[in-house]
Amino acid sequence: MTDLKSKYADKSWSETLQLVRRCLEKTKGDSRVCEPIAKCLQKINEALNVCSLTAMVSRLEMIAKQRGLGSHMSPTETVCYLTADLFYMEVVLLRGGGVEDVRVAHHGEAPVSSPSLLQLLRMKKFQEFSLKLDDLASFYIISGDSDVKIKIYTCLRHLETDLFKISHLPRCLRESDLHVDLIMNGRIGNVQPGKEGTPMTIEYYISPLDVLSGSSSTGEGSVGQTALVTVGSSGASHRLQTESLISSPPQVDSSGLPVFQPLSESCSELLPATFLLKLQPPLPMLTPFIEKMGRITDGVVAEKPQQVEPLPQLLMKTSKALSSEISWTDGVQFVVPLPASEYHSYVFPGAVWGRESWKGVLVHTVPFTHPGHVPALLDLLRHQSAINVLLASCFSGHNQLIDAGLLCDLRCEIRPESDHCLSVTFSLDDNNHLAVLQVTVVDSHQMSCRLMMPDFVDHKLDDYVSRVLMRCMSIPITMRAIRRKVSGRTTPPEPAADPESSAAMESDVISAVHPSVSREAVEDESVTSPPGCSVMSVAAPEPDNANTDAIANRSPCASLGVYSRWVTSGLPAELL
């Protein structure tokens, strides 16, 4: 590079630029390229302004080469093709170097325009375009020749067909928010078909605080847990379906799931691959849950983790709200701020969290081989997500004692008990004795709480605490409710609080635990009509054909109530 600088020191920029462009357009017969020179050429290419057809083609070819894809031009030199075994991309170019359209075609399918990819190229965001291309290629990383890859891709398409059939089976509604009900109670969550080169997506969990943020109302940009339905290579061969396994119309068994056609040689084939649920974001999972997944999929499991860690430690590593400087070591303490200058201290003692049943790993993909595996796998993913949300509710950026003079209103120690059961040990201000709240997470819809205090037994209070926890999925909010309830158990009952003031006060609580939730969002949520009533505006005249009938109860059993009260009648007043 020094010699090149001295050689062209007296040359004009235009002359040097022409020479560089000619070098970039040349192809070498020798496939071996010096790595330093290749990096220099890449930097030069990225620095050049793409303002011609030749420059745009050169940039697309460089991106394709970086991602391991093929590239070639059409005979008319107006379309640049980026090719792989299972898909190809058409970039329709204009004479001046602009982009008219970007189309993605999977094997055996017609090309479909991709507005998002088109926008990236028009804005010359080549780095983002390259990452999108890499994501598209990574969805179908399969070993083998082209024929094997095509067979596996065909199996994936038949799987998607069956998952759609399962998602459209009739079922009883449990929540009035249809989108939340589909995510939490649907047999396979909220299924979205693949589009613009992306695979099928399944939304399978969303927390109550995310519901309050309003992101669930549109069904777009969900902040909950999702899974992409893809395929991946496997060291062993597995029998995968080569046609739909569900009859039309579907026959349903006693559990409400369809009756599947047995996997035989006529409707399946042994292939070196498995279907995958690619979790986004990756989910910290307990090792007992991973073992249960292996039993569901008949022994088809991902590679065994080399190292397991306590679940709270995994959650800390994956939390975006916590600083990377926070270390687990022998445990950690968090100070959670609440409204009215109330502070709770939550301690996770490292020694007790070392038991094997509460250790886990970060799971990125869940392999399976049959569409019937998906409902049971999603139930486990939801169960684990509920446990994670409860533990993470005790996290806060105030992990250090803010100052020596800070007095916490409540000091708690979070300890693991038996499987799916944890305890919160605490002491109230007016009591020198310790109390214990035992929380058992039966599944993502059912949790039981037992409050153990000296000389105090109240099963109604246990039921009350369980309902509070299920509605907010937050240990700090639940402990705040217990503190107020227990401290006033010897005093006469207070009159019912005003609903409007209750909603305003509770909005402060939710905002403290979930800062992204605005006060206005909570108050808007609190003024929705009660269950079974239609909502009409008083500012506009009533439509002639308005349906004012009460909504029928579509479910013969009572709602589990994790979300419905929040959605239909505002926040529960007992949380105050």
Side-chain angles (χ1 to χ4, degrees), residues 502-569:
S502 297
M505 292 174 65
E506 190 58 31
S507 66
D508 295 333
V509 177
I510 301 302
S511 298
V513 180
H514 196 293
S516 63
V517 181
S518 66
R519 180 189 182 101
E520 289 77 8
V522 180
E523 291 176 348
D524 288 344
E525 196 73 27
S526 68
V527 297
T528 55
S529 60
C533 298
S534 59
V535 180
M536 296 190 65
S537 172
V538 295
E542 181 178 342
D544 294 338
N545 298 323
N547 181 9
T548 57
D549 295 337
I551 301 174
N553 182 10
R554 299 178 179 88
S555 176
C557 57
S559 171
L560 293 176
V562 181
Y563 301 94
S564 57
R565 285 287 301 276
W566 279 29
V567 174
T568 59
S569 60

Side-chain angles (χ1 to χ4, degrees), residues 24-62:
L24 290 175
E25 293 169 5
K26 275 191 173 184
T27 57
K28 293 183 60 177
D30 188 0
S31 59
R32 296 172 298 175
V33 180
C34 179
E35 185 176 352
I37 295 179
K39 289 183 178 180
C40 290
L41 289 175
Q42 178 181 340
K43 290 182 179 180
I44 292 173
N45 242 324
E46 293 172 352
L48 293 175
N49 185 24
V50 178
C51 55
S52 66
L53 178 62
T54 303
M56 177 60 77
V57 172
S58 177
R59 181 63 63 88
L60 292 174
E61 289 177 344
M62 183 189 73

Side-chain angles (χ1 to χ4, degrees), residues 309-310 312-336 346-348 392 394-401:
E309 297 176 288
Q313 184 178 0
L314 278 174
L315 293 172
M316 287 170 53
K317 289 183 177 180
T318 57
S319 174
K320 297 180 180 179
L322 298 183
S323 170
S324 58
E325 299 177 356
I326 301 178
S327 175
W328 173 258
T329 58
D330 294 330
V332 70
Q333 176 183 3
F334 295 100
V335 177
V336 179
Y346 292 92
V347 177
F348 290 82
C394 300
F395 294 170
S396 170
H398 300 76
N399 67 304
Q400 305 293 334
L401 290 176

Side-chain angles (χ1 to χ4, degrees), residues 22 51 87 231 255 289 296 298 415 438 452 501 527-528 530:
R22 286 199 299 270
C51 55
F87 75 93
V231 289
S255 62
F289 280 71
I296 292 173
D298 299 324
R415 301 173 64 93
Q438 191 176 67
M452 293 174 283
S501 62
V527 297
T528 55

Side-chain angles (χ1 to χ4, degrees), residues 152-301:
I152 295 173
Y153 179 75
T154 303
C155 294
L156 178 64
R157 285 307 191 202
H158 289 301
L159 170 73
E160 293 175 350
T161 300
D162 283 347
L163 293 182
F164 265 116
K165 290 180 180 180
I166 297 174
S167 67
H168 286 82
L169 289 175
R171 63 181 181 85
C172 297
L173 297 178
R174 294 179 177 178
E175 310 297 336
S176 58
D177 187 316
L178 298 183
H179 185 68
V180 173
D181 184 79
L182 194 58
I183 295 174
M184 294 298 299
N185 304 316
R187 291 182 177 86
I188 52 173
N190 181 28
V191 179
Q192 298 294 331
K195 60 180 180 179
E196 297 186 11
T198 60
M200 172 184 283
T201 302
I202 298 175
E203 295 177 86
Y204 63 88
Y205 186 84
I206 186 169
S207 71
L209 295 181
D210 290 334
V211 174
L212 279 179
S213 69
S215 59
S216 66
S217 59
T218 60
E220 298 179 0
S222 175
V223 293
Q225 300 284 340
T226 62
L228 304 179
V229 182
T230 65
V231 289
S233 296
S234 173
S237 295
H238 299 280
R239 190 165 291 280
L240 303 180
Q241 63 187 93
T242 55
E243 61 183 55
S244 174
L245 302 179
I246 302 176
S247 60
S248 296
Q251 297 180 357
V252 182
D253 60 18
S254 58
S255 62
L257 292 174
V259 177
F260 295 97
Q261 177 184 350
L263 285 177
S264 60
E265 293 185 359
S266 61
C267 65
S268 65
E269 187 172 349
L270 284 171
L271 295 168
T274 62
F275 301 127
L276 294 176
L277 292 177
K278 188 175 181 180
L279 307 183
Q280 293 188 338
L283 188 67
M285 291 199 72
L286 296 169
T287 50
F289 280 71
I290 298 176
E291 294 170 359
K292 288 182 180 179
M293 285 185 170
R295 291 193 289 271
I296 292 173
T297 59
D298 299 324
V300 179
V301 294

Side-chain angles (χ1 to χ4, degrees), residues 88-100:
Y88 68 89
M89 182 180 297
E90 300 177 359
V91 182
V92 183
L93 302 171
L94 301 173
R95 289 297 177 185
V99 180
E100 181 179 348

Side-chain angles (χ1 to χ4, degrees), residues 102 113-121 129 132 195-196 198:
V102 177
S113 294
S114 173
S116 61
L117 295 176
L118 174 63
Q119 186 70 10
L120 290 177
L121 286 183
F129 176 80
K132 287 283 188 180
K195 60 180 180 179
E196 297 186 11
T198 60

